[in-house]
Amino acid sequence: MTVANDGVPADEFETDLLRNLAHQRGTTRQSASAQDIYQALALTVRDRLVDRYVKTAATYYETNPRFVYYLSAEYMLGKQLPQNLLYSGLQNQARDALEKLGLDPAELEDLDVEPGLGNGGLGRLAACILDALATEDIPAVGYGIRYDLGIFKQTFEDGAQVERPDDWTFYGNPWEFAAPDDQQPVGFYGKVEDGKWTPDEIVLGEPSHMLVPGYGTQTVNLIRLWRARASRASFDLSRFGEGRYGEAVDAIVRSENISKVLYPDDSTELGRELRLKQQHFLVTCALRDIVRRYRLRNTGWDAFTEKVTIQLNDTHPVMAVAELMRVLLDEEGLDWDRAWLIVRGTFAYTCHTLLPEALETWPVALVERLLPRHMEIIYLINFHFLQEVEQAYPGDTGRLRELSIIQEEPERRVRMAHLAVVGAKAVNGVAELHSKLLRETTLRPFAELWPERFHNVTNGVSPRRFMLIANPRLTGLISSRLGDHDWLRDLDRLSELEPAADDSAFRDQWREVKRANRRDLARYARAVTGVALDPDAMADVMIKRFHEYKRQLLRVMHVITLIHRIRRGETAGLVPRSVIFGGKAAPGYYAAKRIMRLANAVADVVNGDQQLSAYVRMAFLPNYNVSGAELIIPAADLSEQISLAGKEASGTSNMKLALNGALTIGTLDGANVEIRDRVGADNFFLFGLDAGQAVALKQAGYRPRSWYEADWELRETIDFIATIDGGALREVADDLLNRDEYLTLADYRAYIECQDEVAHAWEDRDAWTRMSILNAARSGFFSADRTVRDYGREIWHTPAVPEA
Ligand code: GLS
């Protein structure tokens, strides 16, 4: 489908493509490799976007607007070629030109590499937000780290996850512009004398930028990613001369390691010096760039908070609070009060977790060594802050301890979330329930002190990425019903689809789309796993990072229950299902990796047995990423959102799946609550404990073994886990019986019964399709465009600046 066709005739596109092939790749049509053609194609598309970017930049320069600067250690951008083709309206021209040259566009798309610069939901959210900012014409720049190696590539060997490096720019990245002349020095270590920091080590931050076009608008914003470079003098020529080659490059390696690799943990804290270095590196480079940009059109500091708002995506970039203070005090000579007012008027902080273990803290001793001046500044911020607390709660030492930016026991550590709340004008959670629980639990003392500082901004997803690009069939069908495709910029218009749920011809078409998408998925699953999925079976999907709280284990336990039922001949009420898993586990997260092995072992059991595979087949699709999501989500019928209530901050696959017409089976957790409110309780399979009940059960002294003893089917399931693969995964069963941190056993029966209801509902395919259509029709709220408008209204106060 073409949108906003930019009017470039196909032959002109072809001429430009051939010119880029010659001028940029230095080759000819006859001798060009597929990589040459791909790169030339990307450059030809990029050129068009640059033309637009130049106009956006001119408009911004002229109007000197307020900017949003989004700081995030992670971005999961997804493939750039399909998006940029669509957003530039060049899809048809590109296809025609390639066909004329006898080239296959699909083959070239395969060469487009996904920059996997993030772990999961948090990183993908950052990408969706940048997409929405440009689409809403809001002046913005995203700042991040250009990791040499993105999130690892996942394969399985004997059912166990194997991680391989993701050298995503091995053949170059045609979408980015490097700016080696714009390097920024970043200091580490050293000493402070009279408030003046002399670092021991200087690393250079080198930026490159990529274009972030808006959809259906002329606006093109930027994402600037920084990589670490050693200074020119770092190569030790004399050592090299002595044949000590390793030592000769030591300093270079040490510096450049900072942006070498994305830390592959998700939702857990990882205390490593190099990670803190990455964080400081990112915020130093970003702030220098932000100040440089501010100075293009402004002088002095008076207008800073009016022109600049900085959103901190989780705690990873929170050192920016101390760094901006340092710049203002030490480099700009402002006094403390003035500097603090500016800092407090600049930052806003988004918290993305409820898990206490995910709230970053850094040992004071480490911060003192690595960033001595920042540590002093943090102490001073804390000193002033605790005076404020003392005034609010005189004599309440418990409060002081609870609120302090410094944790005292068992080790002195800097609490980054506290620094964020103290240093920000606004704090938000990412779903209604999450924001409420943040106020009531994780950040309660802060919410009591400064209730007005706390907000909710429910997450959203890009309808372009996850409908238009991922699901062209459904997008086409919806557009034909709504009369145009403007709904992709105004997702509330999906509600116009509601009457179509009662139109049987439309339902048939909807079902056909799902079936065709399942066929595509089955083809892919067969190619990568060898498992033959039945395109008519229900596609039952769980795609997300592997984490115990998300309870992939509960999903596997249902399959084991089905195995037993089928073997006993209790097949009445069963429907054929394709159980699909996708997701990575942090390499050091053994408990999650064990669950993965279990999932693969159970998959082997069902897929290898004719009697079982008549009802259940199971495919664990390796290396789940944005491209994988684009393939799986359109095919999904059932969306598994089964985390223990009170643990998942929001979830975003839940939104993508509902938008694509999957029905959710889920707990009252994260954004599931809002999805259910919107799509209607009748169109959502709810089960399990709610957040309050979960806490109460634990407080009452949860004994998983008593649940095991009380339910024979559960017993059978756990015994199966203990003995599968000759008892290799017995630890999983033992852990369930002795600990079961995430109350899997307590929710088991409710989940199984709910899955029985799902099967029953699937039998009436027409009623199911009706529910599916209503899920999509009522999910317009979950557009990232709405998320960005909410941030704009509540936190950023950034007017849109459409191109003149
Ligand atoms: C996360 C949460 O775990 C998700 O629930 C949430 O949807 C996402 C975006 O807000 O952020 N936090 C995190 O550390 N990783 C995530 O995916």
Side-chain angles (χ1 to χ4, degrees), residues 121-122 125 266-267 352 430 459 549 648-652:
L122 179 150
L125 182 81
D266 182 70
S267 296
H352 290 273
V430 289
N459 283 341
Y549 81 79
E648 188 72 271
S650 160
T652 42

Side-chain angles (χ1 to χ4, degrees), residues 253-365:
V253 171
R254 204 173 45 244
S255 298
E256 300 191 349
N257 267 348
I258 290 179
S259 57
K260 185 55 78 186
V261 59
L262 166 86
Y263 277 100
D265 63 326
D266 182 70
S267 296
T268 43
E269 184 207 340
L270 188 81
R272 296 239 176 98
E273 182 166 330
L274 188 58
R275 180 147 176 149
L276 181 57
K277 277 185 145 180
Q278 286 187 338
Q279 298 184 352
H280 172 65
F281 173 77
L282 165 61
V283 306
T284 304
C285 294
L287 285 174
R288 282 192 186 282
D289 203 53
I290 290 166
V291 170
R292 175 189 67 78
R293 293 171 54 91
Y294 168 75
R295 289 205 165 123
L296 289 175
R297 294 303 312 272
N298 308 280
T299 45
W301 288 96
D302 287 347
F304 193 73
T305 54
E306 188 195 308
K307 297 296 181 189
V308 172
T309 183
I310 301 179
Q311 191 67 37
L312 302 170
N313 195 30
D314 217 73
T315 48
H316 319 136
V318 165
M319 203 49 94
V321 170
E323 172 64 10
L324 184 57
M325 273 310 273
R326 192 193 65 77
V327 169
L328 295 176
L329 295 170
D330 301 354
E331 294 182 9
E332 299 297 323
L334 270 54
D335 65 36
W336 181 275
D337 290 346
R338 176 128 190 265
W340 184 241
L341 260 176
I342 292 172
V343 166
R344 276 282 327 278
T346 298
F347 292 108
Y349 160 57
T350 306
C351 178
H352 290 273
T353 191
L354 281 164
L355 310 178
E357 68 267 27
L359 291 177
E360 279 185 308
T361 61
W362 293 107
V364 165

Side-chain angles (χ1 to χ4, degrees), residues 716-755:
E716 189 178 61
T717 302
I718 294 186
D719 293 349
F720 181 96
I721 297 174
T723 52
I724 193 171
D725 267 3
L729 296 163
R730 174 174 289 281
E731 281 174 347
V732 177
D734 289 346
D735 191 71
L736 278 176
L737 289 174
N738 298 321
R739 196 173 68 105
D740 192 19
E741 174 80 23
Y742 299 103
L743 307 182
T744 316
L745 302 202
D747 269 346
Y748 168 82
R749 181 49 52 194
Y751 179 57
I752 299 296
E753 282 172 3
C754 196
Q755 285 286 16

Side-chain angles (χ1 to χ4, degrees), residues 9-21 44 97 101:
D11 47 2
E12 195 176 304
F13 187 90
E14 185 192 335
T15 312
D16 290 348
L17 178 68
L18 290 172
R19 191 182 306 121
N20 274 328
L21 197 61
T44 311
L101 294 167

